[in-house]
Amino acid sequence: MVPATLFMLALLGFGGAVYRAIMDPDISLAFVAASIRRSIDDYREIAGMDISGNPGLTATLYNVGNSRQRAAALAAKNRSSGATVWPEENYYGWLINDKLDELKGLL
């Protein structure tokens, strides 16, 4: 996950570079987009689910990370239960969905 990678770089003494990467939208937006794309792909490839239409869920996965492990756990849960269980948003994701119209207005 991108935030964890940035954290590790900061711990290794690259704090200045991490700060610049976070503060420069040309760089940070690419990191965010790549992380969200990875989550969408993980859920499609591992759990067989298309989560791309739920910004709150993709925001949640960006927020909490480990999309590959989470998708695998959900796929196992779905196989064992025989019913489709969908991932859920955390508060951050819920807030994104709740304010989606306002956020779209900022674009």
Side-chain angles (χ1 to χ4, degrees):
M1 178 181 156
V2 175
T5 303
L6 293 176
F7 178 72
M8 289 304 296
L9 287 171
L11 288 177
L12 293 172
F14 296 99
V18 170
Y19 179 78
R20 283 188 298 281
I22 291 170
M23 297 308 291
D24 182 348
D26 291 333
I27 298 170
S28 63
L29 289 176
F31 280 125
V32 171
S35 177
I36 290 171
R37 177 81 253 170
R38 179 75 266 155
S39 294
I40 290 168
D41 292 346
D42 287 343
Y43 271 76
R44 186 185 67 247
E45 295 165 8
I46 298 168
M49 297 181 153
D50 180 8
I51 62 167
S52 63
N54 186 336
L57 184 54
T58 56
T60 293
L61 291 168
Y62 176 76
N63 181 242
V64 299
N66 300 317
S67 62
R68 183 170 296 275
Q69 295 89 340
R70 291 174 190 282
L74 186 62
K77 185 175 184 178
N78 282 333
R79 280 191 303 274
S80 68
S81 73
T84 301
V85 178
W86 287 89
E88 296 180 9
E89 299 90 355
N90 66 3
Y91 179 75
Y92 178 70
W94 172 85
L95 187 61
I96 294 294
N97 280 343
D98 187 59
K99 302 295 183 183
L100 194 55
D101 289 337
E102 293 175 46
L103 292 169
K104 285 180 179 179
L106 297 173
L107 298 176

